[in-house]
Amino acid sequence: MTQQSVPPTPNNFAVWFEYSLGNAPALRKIIDILIAGKRKFDAATNAELFITYIAPQQTGRDPLSDLPDQLSGLIDSAQQFLNTAVTDNQTHIKALGEVSSEAATGSDPRPIIAKLVDELSKATQRAAALEASFAATSEELDSIRDSLKAAEQRSNTDALTGLANRHSMDEFLRLAQIAAMEKDEALSVFLIDIDHFKKFNDDYGHQVGDQVLRLVAKVLQEGVREVDLAARYGGEELIAVLPGADLEACSAVAERVRRRISEAKLTRRATGKEIGSVTVSIGVAQFRLAESADAMIERCDRGLYKAKRLGRNRTVTELELEPEAGAA
């Protein structure tokens, strides 16, 4: 930790203690890669290592502590149902035992049969009531599950475009980087910026601007695979993360998306009048071993702005960028 200038915090100690033990091959491999790549162990990197490899192993928390009160109440109800079922079952067994004892005495069978029928009827009624209670609880649980799923989706989704939001993209990209290093696979990203977006807002209003964003988002979402992530990066910028794709494959996807956007027809909803074509500029970069997400996206950004300088409506990869000042 001292050699890598890692601050001596409890979380960092936990990461490096696990690394020294050698019980987590994936963690050891990632740290070795970061060291070999001379990656700085900054606050973000240290936090990612802890969240990914240490936090999931830590136990001792009450699993119900994060559940809504309503869900906890339903669990209590289910426990009560089970207790009631056990009690009813014990009562039923006791009653049947009494009937069995009477039958063994050789008494008149008619009252014994009547008691047996009565007890079976009571048991059936109790079972039906318990089943109805479970059915109602099950419906409520389904409703809660749907609500939680919808809430989670809203928290990870950009309301305007329907794409993943920036927070969701950051998490997806973080895990994709770790997977790429663990599996020694490619990972590429392309960044989209809508050309002359301000002009759409100024000439036609923000509603048309929103329509343009939704159009570009729709084409982007349709242009990537299910394993990829399309997200709104901010403002009129959209981003796509392509796990397993090298620079050439990612560039081909980006170019296909760019062409489809330029070929789309945009009409004003209020009048049905055609507004004109929408074009985008795109920058493409491939993940380099042990680099930060910001460094990769910065190359995308440079490619994007070179596309703007060259006349817009084009795709530029990192291979077309001029070497940075001071680079070897």
Side-chain angles (χ1 to χ4, degrees):
M1 290 175 67
T2 302
Q3 291 176 353
Q4 301 302 323
S5 301
V6 178
T9 67
N11 287 355
N12 290 342
F13 270 123
V15 170
W16 286 85
F17 181 70
E18 191 69 23
Y19 171 81
S20 65
L21 290 178
N23 294 331
L27 173 62
R28 175 171 282 275
K29 181 178 180 180
I30 290 299
I31 289 181
D32 287 343
I33 289 173
L34 294 174
I35 293 173
K38 298 182 179 180
R39 170 79 173 271
K40 183 180 178 181
F41 286 85
D42 55 18
T45 300
N46 294 328
E48 288 176 2
L49 290 172
F50 178 80
I51 292 171
T52 304
Y53 295 100
I54 304 302
Q57 302 174 14
Q58 296 183 340
T59 57
R61 293 183 60 205
D62 180 1
L64 299 182
S65 61
D66 295 331
L67 292 177
D69 292 339
Q70 185 181 10
L71 188 56
S72 297
L74 286 174
I75 292 175
D76 291 339
S77 297
Q79 291 174 335
Q80 292 176 5
F81 292 153
L82 290 175
N83 292 336
T84 300
V86 171
T87 301
D88 286 346
N89 188 50
Q90 291 173 342
T91 301
H92 182 57
I93 292 174
K94 181 180 179 181
L96 289 177
E98 293 174 355
V99 171
S100 178
S101 297
E102 290 183 26
T105 62
S107 304
D108 185 353
R110 285 174 295 184
I112 295 175
I113 293 173
K115 286 184 179 180
L116 182 59
V117 170
D118 181 58
E119 186 56 38
L120 290 175
S121 176
K122 290 179 181 178
T124 301
Q125 291 174 2
R126 288 195 294 265
L130 192 61
E131 182 180 359
S133 297
F134 268 118
T137 302
S138 179
E139 289 181 3
E140 195 168 354
L141 282 170
D142 287 341
S143 176
I144 290 175
R145 184 167 53 247
D146 291 342
S147 297
L148 290 175
K149 185 177 180 180
E152 181 182 10
Q153 185 175 5
R154 286 195 299 271
S155 69
N156 292 325
T157 303
D158 175 66
L160 176 61
T161 63
L163 300 180
N165 60 19
R166 176 68 178 272
H167 171 75
S168 181
M169 187 280 297
D170 286 341
E171 178 65 12
F172 183 90
L173 182 53
R174 181 180 70 84
L175 295 176
Q177 286 179 276
I178 292 172
M181 289 189 287
E182 287 179 341
K183 300 175 184 179
D184 193 23
E185 294 180 345
L187 167 67
S188 297
V189 172
F190 65 88
L191 187 64
I192 296 176
D193 185 85
I194 301 173
D195 296 332
H196 303 297
F197 183 72
K198 185 176 183 299
K199 182 174 174 58
F200 285 106
N201 283 328
D202 291 344
D203 292 352
Y204 303 104
H206 288 283
Q207 287 187 339
V208 171
D210 290 347
Q211 189 179 341
V212 170
L213 264 171
R214 284 191 288 265
L215 167 67
V216 174
K218 181 175 184 295
V219 176
L220 175 60
Q221 185 67 76
E222 293 174 349
V224 297
R225 305 164 299 176
E226 289 187 5
V227 297
D228 302 329
L229 182 79
R232 186 177 182 185
Y233 191 67
E236 66 270 25
E237 289 188 333
L238 308 178
I239 193 169
V241 182
L242 280 64
D246 60 17
L247 187 69
E248 182 180 0
C250 186
S251 179
V253 174
E255 183 62 13
R256 184 166 62 247
V257 168
R258 184 198 63 78
R259 287 198 307 269
R260 289 180 178 175
I261 291 171
S262 66
E263 293 167 357
K265 301 298 182 182
L266 183 69
T267 57
R268 194 167 187 176
R269 292 178 177 176
T271 62
K273 181 181 178 181
E274 186 171 320
I275 295 175
S277 62
V278 179
T279 64
V280 297
S281 297
I282 304 179
V284 188
Q286 181 172 338
F287 176 60
R288 297 175 183 174
L289 199 63
E291 75 171 339
S292 67
D294 288 342
M296 176 171 54
I297 294 175
E298 191 272 337
R299 292 198 304 280
C300 285
D301 204 42
R302 289 172 57 207
L304 187 156
Y305 280 99
K306 181 170 183 177
K308 297 279 190 185
R309 293 195 302 271
L310 293 175
R312 297 180 171 82
N313 191 24
R314 65 188 65 216
T315 300
V316 173
T317 76
E318 61 181 334
L319 297 180
E320 302 169 68
L321 298 177
E322 297 80 10
E324 296 182 68

